[in-house]
Amino acid sequence: MLIAKNNLQFIIEVAIIIHAGVIILFNLVGVSLSLVLFLGTLVTTLFALLFSIDTLLLILPLFTHQEFTHPFGPFAVLSWVSVLAASNLLSEAGIRSTSIKTLNYILFFVIAIAGGLMHRSFLLLWFLGGAIGYYIMSKSFKRTARITRKSIMGFVSALIGGFALMESLARILDMPVLSPLLRITRLENYTIPSLKLVLTRTTFWGHMVGSCYWRSECLGGADGYITLPVTLIHQLGLPYHIFYGVLIYKKDYIDYMLPGIFAVAFDAGYFGLLFLLSWVLIVTITGLHVLRIYREKRLNGSRRYLGREALLIGSLSAFLTQSIIGLFLFNRSFNSSALLTYIILSAFVMAHSINVKRRIS
């Protein structure tokens, strides 16, 4: 009875296991501010190196790339925002953190360039993650992080400049894969047919039997349009529907061309979509509530939860960013390996609520 029979059941079981495991780990491991600074800087640097190497392999002939930005992009947002939050907390305590902030800003632009060359959707995710993290910090650290007209114009200008740079490189190097305009053209060609398929075949619990790629073997829901990593399913020998290696006119007709809410509705029904959106709301409200408690403790003179506060700001920023990009813009930023990342980020946020009830009240 505990063995999942389809993709949706497998996702739910893995999500429960991950949330339970992260909560237990979070209660066992002390999260200090110095630990967040050290590990956050190290991980952000490793992501900058990983994305740069992968992008270099994309450009060089006779090499294959791995597209690490989809599964690891939100984790990069988590680590980068956590380091920035931790450095701001140091400033709040009267400790200079100029060198840390300088290194972090350098890593921001390295990751933006490398990841943006790999995927245009990552550039949106990266700048949105920075903006959300900066907004949350502006509410928590009023003396060290403020949203101004200049900062908003800076974010927007950098984003526009990033897209302009990729389009220029695509034309100079004769590599259409780098072109943002190519993505727009593909959306124009495939989005309307994809929407027609989803909107006319979606039901409360899934989709009309026979309307998916599998035809006579269509389950009417949980057919694999939303999955965990295909390699994980293969390694466990699970007999689920998967679209491994099938492009544009099969799974990717939905996966590439529509926001995640449409893919979730088609594969899990309107009920599944409502459940997911409700969970996103629960995680967001819980994270903001715990963050408010951390802030009150800090303003009252306690430094016990500074590391947890920085980590929560990073986790919540990454979770909200992936929710917006994956669910409302590009399903690929939420699906497959990225879905596993999304579940882990959700667990990172919810784990703080258990700790708060045990240690703060």
Side-chain angles (χ1 to χ4, degrees):
M1 295 295 293
L2 295 178
I3 299 177
K5 297 181 179 180
N6 55 50
N7 283 288
L8 181 58
Q9 292 179 11
F10 184 51
I11 291 170
I12 293 174
E13 288 187 4
V14 170
I16 293 173
I17 293 172
I18 288 177
H19 277 74
V22 171
I23 289 172
I24 293 172
L25 180 64
F26 200 80
N27 279 273
L28 293 176
V29 178
V31 183
S32 64
L33 189 61
S34 59
L35 180 65
V36 173
L37 273 172
F38 172 73
L39 289 182
T41 303
L42 177 62
V43 171
T44 305
T45 304
L46 290 176
F47 279 135
L49 181 62
L50 183 67
F51 293 166
S52 298
I53 293 175
D54 199 32
T55 301
L56 185 62
L57 295 179
L58 171 68
I59 298 174
L60 294 176
L62 305 179
F63 288 94
T64 58
H65 60 282
Q66 301 299 319
E67 301 188 0
F68 291 118
T69 51
H70 282 313
F72 297 133
F75 283 144
V77 173
L78 163 63
S79 61
W80 186 85
V81 173
S82 295
V83 172
L84 186 60
S87 62
N88 279 324
L89 284 169
L90 285 178
S91 299
E92 288 280 311
I95 302 174
R96 291 178 59 85
S97 58
T98 305
S99 58
I100 298 175
K101 290 183 179 179
T102 301
L103 174 60
N104 211 34
Y105 285 127
I106 292 174
L107 292 174
F108 179 88
F109 287 105
V110 171
I111 292 177
I113 294 172
L117 288 173
M118 180 61 64
H119 283 112
R120 279 71 66 199
S121 60
F122 173 80
L123 197 62
L124 287 174
L125 181 141
W126 186 240
F127 277 94
L128 180 61
I132 291 177
Y134 197 81
Y135 176 78
I136 294 176
M137 283 182 280
S138 72
K139 299 299 182 181
S140 295
F141 320 126
K142 293 184 178 180
R143 291 182 299 173
T144 55
R146 295 178 180 175
I147 293 180
T148 63
R149 181 179 300 177
K150 183 178 179 180
S151 63
I152 294 175
M153 292 299 297
F155 270 109
V156 174
S157 299
L159 183 61
I160 295 175
F163 278 103
L165 174 63
M166 287 190 296
E167 185 63 33
S168 299
L169 288 175
R171 295 176 182 274
I172 294 173
L173 300 176
D174 193 23
M175 296 183 65
V177 69
L178 301 179
S179 171
L181 295 180
L182 176 63
R183 171 74 184 191
I184 296 175
T185 302
R186 292 181 65 195
L187 286 174
E188 292 176 350
N189 293 334
Y190 296 111
T191 296
I192 298 302
S194 301
L195 279 174
K196 183 178 179 180
L197 169 67
V198 171
L199 295 178
T200 59
R201 304 297 177 89
T202 300
T203 65
F204 188 73
W205 297 107
H207 46 261
M208 295 173 58
V209 176
S211 61
C212 65
Y213 168 65
W214 312 108
R215 299 301 180 185
S216 61
E217 297 181 7
C218 180
L219 301 175
D223 271 296
Y225 288 89
I226 297 293
T227 69
L228 287 173
V230 171
T231 52
L232 179 62
I233 297 175
H234 272 306
Q235 290 171 358
L236 294 176
L238 300 174
Y240 304 152
H241 284 168
I242 56 175
F243 291 81
Y244 188 78
V246 182
L247 299 177
I248 300 300
Y249 295 102
K250 313 301 184 206
K251 179 196 178 187
D252 290 348
Y253 203 65
I254 291 176
D255 196 20
Y256 268 117
M257 303 304 163
L258 292 180
I261 55 173
F262 294 103
V264 172
F266 188 75
D267 212 30
Y270 291 117
F271 175 82
L273 177 60
L274 289 174
F275 177 83
L276 176 60
L277 294 178
S278 299
W279 180 251
V280 172
L281 186 61
I282 290 171
V283 174
T284 303
I285 293 174
T286 300
L288 292 174
H289 174 70
V290 176
L291 192 58
R292 188 179 302 113
I293 294 175
Y294 284 157
R295 181 173 181 270
E296 291 174 356
K297 293 293 180 179
R298 170 167 50 84
L299 294 178
N300 288 332
S302 174
R303 295 188 178 184
R304 182 177 180 181
Y305 306 102
L306 296 182
R308 295 178 184 273
E309 184 176 2
L311 182 60
L312 178 56
I313 291 174
S315 301
L316 187 58
S317 300
F319 177 80
L320 289 173
T321 301
Q322 192 174 6
S323 296
I324 294 172
I325 297 297
L327 295 178
F328 299 101
L329 293 177
F330 307 109
N331 182 58
R332 180 49 64 92
S333 299
F334 163 80
N335 205 358
S336 192
S337 297
L339 179 57
L340 185 60
T341 299
Y342 191 65
I343 293 172
I344 295 174
L345 291 177
S346 171
F348 272 22
V349 176
M350 296 302 292
H352 288 265
S353 64
I354 305 299
N355 276 275
V356 167
K357 292 179 181 179
R358 282 186 53 186
R359 301 183 180 183
I360 294 183
S361 58

